[in-house]
Amino acid sequence: MYVKDSGTEKLILDTAMDILFAKGNIHATTQDIADAAGVNRTLINYYFRSKKVLISTAIKTTYSEFKKKSNQILLSDLPFRKKTEEFIGDFLTNLYKYPYLDSFMIAELTRQGTKKKAPAGIRMSQPDPMTQYLKEIKAEMKAGTIPGNNPVHFMMNMFSMMVYPVVMKPLHMNLFKLNESQYDKLLNERKQIIMKILIPGTDI
């Protein structure tokens, strides 16, 4: 009988996150994950009971990494422009670490079809940091520093401009005849581009 070891459990989880969200093998089997981690496949069921639980834990852990610093930024006393810049920078850093996370989420939502629920691991009510930030966006719109509309549009535009170029990287590289280095250079320019679109007059 196996004796639970937190190191082995973390190894399996880290390997799953790497295979699914960093390398983009969204159809990886438990055997694929076990082979990559260098462990027996039965250990995955021992530590996580099933592939579904492993994936749920991987999603929850990855989103926890995403939120850890971003929530601190949104709750900080930084001026709006600086706060937005730091939030975008932190989000992009995490997105580049796990470029296939959103593709995986889209595949999961498509697979669930009419259920129309976020996959297990990220089902939650709107977090307070985001609620506060939306209020700040509304205040900036009222002050005339950014174009006025529903503050949610501001956030949807922000996330779209960050996520879409990463999710569509293979297609864009082929469409625009770009190599890996050239496309990575474009991605590194995203923060400046997004800031200038969202907050007119930004010069960073």
Side-chain angles (χ1 to χ4, degrees):
M1 182 177 180
Y2 296 114
V3 176
K4 285 199 172 182
D5 172 39
S6 60
T8 301
E9 183 176 8
K10 186 177 186 302
L11 171 64
I12 294 171
L13 180 59
D14 288 347
T15 301
M17 291 164 61
D18 180 66
I19 288 176
L20 297 171
F21 310 141
K23 293 186 170 65
N25 184 2
I26 63 175
H27 301 297
T29 64
T30 51
Q31 187 63 60
D32 293 330
I33 295 171
D35 290 344
V39 301
N40 191 299
R41 185 169 60 86
T42 57
L43 281 176
I44 292 181
N45 288 331
Y46 178 69
Y47 284 103
F48 297 97
R49 300 193 304 279
S50 68
K51 180 182 177 182
K52 182 178 180 181
V53 174
L54 174 58
I55 290 177
S56 174
T57 305
I59 292 173
K60 187 181 298 184
T61 302
T62 307
Y63 271 90
S64 178
E65 286 187 22
F66 267 59
K67 292 191 303 177
K68 186 175 182 180
K69 186 177 179 182
S70 65
N71 282 353
Q72 292 177 353
I73 294 171
L74 293 181
L75 290 171
S76 71
D77 294 326
L78 289 170
F80 179 77
R81 183 170 296 188
K82 182 64 176 177
K83 178 181 292 190
T84 303
E85 180 185 348
E86 291 203 7
F87 178 81
I88 291 172
D90 178 68
F91 189 92
L92 288 174
T93 296
N94 287 309
L95 190 61
Y96 297 157
K97 182 178 180 182
Y98 297 115
Y100 295 97
L101 176 61
D102 288 279
S103 296
F104 181 87
M105 301 305 297
I106 292 170
E108 280 292 287
L109 289 170
T110 301
R111 182 183 63 79
Q112 291 181 19
T114 57
K115 294 180 182 179
K116 295 182 180 179
K117 292 181 181 179
I122 61 168
R123 294 172 190 165
M124 61 187 75
S125 58
Q126 189 181 49
D128 288 338
M130 186 60 68
T131 300
Q132 175 174 310
Y133 187 58
L134 286 170
K135 291 178 180 178
E136 293 179 35
I137 294 171
K138 187 174 182 179
E140 293 293 321
M141 289 177 173
K142 188 174 182 180
T145 56
I146 56 178
N149 49 53
N150 189 322
V152 174
H153 283 302
F154 184 95
M155 291 305 303
M156 288 196 297
N157 288 339
M158 179 193 294
F159 285 124
S160 297
M161 287 188 283
M162 290 189 290
V163 174
Y164 182 79
V166 176
V167 172
M168 299 299 290
K169 179 178 177 179
L171 178 61
H172 284 171
M173 287 178 62
N174 180 64
L175 180 64
F176 303 126
K177 304 297 184 289
L178 300 170
N179 59 36
E180 192 82 22
S181 177
Q182 290 171 322
Y183 201 83
D184 285 346
K185 183 176 183 296
L186 288 176
L187 290 180
N188 288 331
E189 297 169 352
R190 290 306 294 171
K191 184 170 75 170
Q192 288 79 7
I193 297 296
I194 295 168
M195 284 292 294
K196 288 179 179 179
I197 292 174
L198 290 176
I199 306 179
T202 296
D203 185 19
I204 58 174

